[in-house]
Amino acid sequence: MNCARTKLTIATPYFIPSERLMDALISAKEKGVSIDILLPDNTDAWFTKPPSYPKTEKLLSKGIRIFLYEKGFFHGKVMIIDHTVANISTANWDPRSFYLNDEASCIIYDREIIAHVEREINEDKANSRRLTKRVIGEIPKWERSL
């Protein structure tokens, strides 16, 4: 993420990044990197959504675009940097994946494959709604308090 110059795309089913990752995302945005994050609107693990709310709200306030996939449950784990490097992995953006689980990543440099992955992610974004302050305001207070 620190190497990104123009575009960073992240897609993950669970999004609870550490403060270090939050800082890296915000720093990239402040350097002018366009950042899109694709998350599921519906999850198979309800308890993972409330911890992500303050993180997504903070990133949204910094101008990072967040998409909530609505056509089922999104379970992909992808990061694309500047259209030139893709990381497709088993790792979620949560502490369990970062510190406990044994995860695997495939780093791809082939531009044709990366372009294909980007087309798929763009299709998923087309089947999503944008996270906005209004959407955040619609989250029930009891759920946000969790």
Side-chain angles (χ1 to χ4, degrees):
M1 289 188 308
N2 294 331
C3 296
R5 299 288 175 246
T6 60
K7 178 75 174 165
L8 179 62
T9 302
I10 297 166
T12 182
Y14 313 111
F15 188 73
I16 312 169
S18 67
E19 285 307 309
R20 186 173 175 188
L21 289 171
M22 289 288 290
D23 290 345
L25 286 167
I26 293 166
S27 176
K29 182 62 182 171
E30 289 171 347
K31 289 189 303 187
V33 176
S34 172
I35 302 174
D36 288 351
I37 300 174
L38 176 65
L39 308 171
D41 198 23
N42 300 305
T43 182
D44 65 342
W46 67 268
F47 51 86
T48 62
K49 283 186 82 169
S52 74
Y53 295 150
K55 305 215 179 247
T56 54
E57 190 170 5
K58 182 175 184 177
L59 295 175
L60 185 67
S61 75
K62 299 293 184 181
I64 293 172
R65 298 185 332 157
I66 300 171
F67 298 84
L68 303 174
Y69 183 74
E70 295 186 301
K71 198 174 179 185
F73 174 53
F74 181 87
H75 205 258
K77 293 124 178 150
V78 177
M79 181 167 58
I80 302 170
I81 302 169
D82 295 337
H83 314 286
T84 59
V85 180
N87 176 8
I88 299 176
S89 77
T90 61
N92 300 299
W93 277 62
D94 67 9
R96 184 175 182 97
S97 279
F98 291 138
Y99 304 114
L100 181 62
N101 294 351
D102 289 327
E103 304 285 5
S105 289
C106 179
I107 308 298
I108 299 169
Y109 297 96
D110 183 288
R111 289 184 186 243
E112 186 176 326
I113 293 171
I114 293 168
H116 176 77
V117 173
E118 285 186 306
R119 285 191 299 274
E120 294 291 325
I121 293 293
N122 287 335
E123 185 176 322
D124 290 335
K125 288 191 310 192
N127 288 307
S128 302
R129 66 183 173 136
R130 288 279 300 273
L131 182 65
T132 63
K133 288 182 181 183
R134 182 186 57 76
V135 171
I136 290 171
E138 293 171 356
I139 299 168
K141 289 183 182 184
W142 68 266
E143 186 176 339
R144 287 182 59 98
S145 71
L146 294 175

